Amino acid sequence: MSAFRTLDQVEVAGRRVLVRLDLNVPMKDGRVTDATRIERAAPTVKELADKGAKVVVVSHYGRPKGKPDPTMSLKPLVDPLSAAVGRPVAFAEDCIGPAAAGAVGGLADGGVALLENLRFHAGEESNDPGFAAALAELCDLYVSDAFSAAHRAHASIDGVARLRPAYAGRLMQTELDALGRALESPTRPVAAVVGGAKVSTKLDLLGNLVERVDVLAIGGGMANTFLFAQGVEIGASLAERDLADTARAILQKAEAKGCDVLLAIDAVIADKLAPGVATTVVGVDAVPSGAMILDVGPATVAAMSERLATCRTLVWNGPLGAFETAPFDAGTNAVAKAAAELTDQGRLLTVAGGGDTVAALAHAGVLERFSYVSTAGGAFLEWLEGKDLPGVAVLKL
């Protein structure tokens, strides 16, 4: 990852610091039901406050379509944020204008204020220069700790960062460091595990990875498209048969770049996707016409696990089978545990994220054992696709 500005390069005491977080947390009946994102962002807020900054926290929540919506107010986050940072948090009923200015003006050094939902203004998502300028009026410095929103060129991500000195918060710094070690400057050999239902949603990702990694293991429904493209009879399995030419082109590109693509050599099949359904393990060349491939088989698990043991870096995105429905979680669980074992032994750097990945790794019981797991969905995927993220570009030296 290119060099970027961090909090180690700036004095914040007595200065107003606008901190962009992603506090889009689950809520029910006006109460936060999962404070993980708040807790992960708290160290940056606490560090700035401890150093004497006047900390102004901003975030989006939901999709209020550019106008106030009481059901999407950030006010219920005041108490959880206060608990996470260990100090009182003031609240402003707006994120710009007199209400915001009053809340910021009332902060003492070390004080923290949370401003109302950025998306209550249409100028946020349109990256309106006037809205960005109004946010900039509230601060002397800008800190981004919202990698999960870094793929959006919104006013609080891009616009205000061009009007004030901009720095990465600690969570953003950790994320960028992990991503840099995974693909920008990795220890080789590098492997990628990519799964999911459809090839069509990951064309850019696959096209980028075959140029960057040494081994690409493909699973999930998308792998069926590749098998079909190679002339394998896949029965009634989910596949995008109209993308066979595209799949073959990706395989040809991989071969030209020296990337070894791993597909299933055996599969767990059933007549339907349902809990407790009768299953059979067959070679991928022996799938009956009415059967569905729903997970990789034990021989595939062994082959993928053995190959990972020869690698030093792993990027993981997506499950290898229909993991939400037992017993079709077995393949994902087993390969994930093999990767976790290698990580525990210090033999493999494991970076994962995007889509169902967090849920799949949590289900496998290895979430805490991977080197780094990103909770960012779209931003992580766009990074895997090789795209320049607006929220990261503005932080580069």
Side-chain angles (χ1 to χ4, degrees), residues 311-339:
C311 296
R312 297 295 306 281
T313 304
L314 170 65
V315 178
W316 186 307
N317 172 252
L320 297 174
F323 81 98
E324 301 95 338
T325 306
F328 308 114
D329 55 347
T332 300
N333 291 350
V335 177
K337 287 175 181 175

Side-chain angles (χ1 to χ4, degrees), residues 226 228-231 243-253:
F226 283 89
F228 176 78
Q230 292 181 313
L243 289 181
D245 288 343
T246 301
R248 281 189 287 268
I250 291 171
L251 292 172
Q252 289 167 2
K253 183 178 181 181

Side-chain angles (χ1 to χ4, degrees), residues 20-27 34 37-38 59-63 74 77 117 119 148 152:
R20 177 50 157 104
L21 303 181
D22 181 356
L23 300 180
N24 201 26
V25 296
M27 282 200 279
D34 183 351
R37 281 190 168 178
I38 297 173
S59 176
H60 71 283
Y61 183 83
R63 299 184 180 279
L74 294 187
L77 275 60
N117 193 340
R119 290 186 181 173
S148 53
R152 300 185 176 114

Side-chain angles (χ1 to χ4, degrees), residues 16-20 56-60 94-97 100-101 104 115-119 121 123-125 127-142 154-164:
R16 301 169 303 160
V17 182
L18 188 75
V19 184
R20 177 50 157 104
V56 185
V57 176
V58 293
S59 176
H60 71 283
D94 201 349
C95 60
I96 58 172
V104 174
L115 309 188
E116 186 55 284
N117 193 340
L118 291 160
R119 290 186 181 173
H121 294 266
E124 163 63 1
E125 294 189 75
N127 200 5
D128 177 69
F131 183 71
L135 290 173
E137 287 180 9
L138 302 171
C139 66
D140 305 303
L141 305 170
Y142 170 82
H154 291 177
S156 67
I157 297 292
D158 176 75
V160 69
R162 297 180 183 279
L163 300 174
R164 293 291 184 268

Side-chain angles (χ1 to χ4, degrees), residues 189-385:
V190 182
V193 171
V194 178
K198 296 182 177 182
V199 174
S200 56
T201 63
K202 299 192 176 181
L203 289 175
D204 290 344
L205 182 155
L206 294 169
N208 185 49
L209 286 181
V210 295
E211 294 188 348
R212 308 284 286 277
V213 306
D214 305 294
V215 181
L216 174 61
I218 302 176
M222 63 192 300
N224 299 335
T225 301
F226 283 89
L227 291 171
F228 176 78
Q230 292 181 313
V232 176
E233 294 295 334
I234 58 172
S237 304
L238 171 70
E240 293 173 290
R241 291 165 174 80
D242 59 323
L243 289 181
D245 288 343
T246 301
R248 281 189 287 268
I250 291 171
L251 292 172
Q252 289 167 2
K253 183 178 181 181
E255 184 176 7
K257 295 292 183 179
C259 173
D260 191 7
V261 177
L262 305 183
L263 294 169
I265 52 179
D266 66 341
V268 180
I269 62 170
D271 293 335
K272 61 180 179 179
L273 177 58
V277 69
T279 65
T280 308
V281 176
V282 300
V284 290
D285 57 353
V287 178
S289 60
M292 303 169 66
I293 297 173
L294 295 169
D295 196 10
V296 294
T300 303
V301 167
M304 289 184 175
S305 299
E306 288 170 11
R307 193 59 188 277
L308 289 184
T310 70
C311 296
R312 297 295 306 281
T313 304
L314 170 65
V315 178
W316 186 307
N317 172 252
L320 297 174
F323 81 98
E324 301 95 338
T325 306
F328 308 114
D329 55 347
T332 300
N333 291 350
V335 177
K337 287 175 181 175
E341 287 289 336
L342 293 166
T343 308
D344 292 342
Q345 295 165 14
R347 296 169 56 192
L348 189 67
L349 172 76
T350 44
V351 175
D356 293 330
T357 309
V358 176
L361 296 181
H363 179 74
V366 301
L367 197 62
E368 303 300 324
R369 296 170 64 192
F370 270 48
S371 306
Y372 190 81
V373 179
S374 172
T375 58
F380 185 86
L381 282 174
E382 289 198 18
W383 169 78
L384 279 183
E385 292 166 0

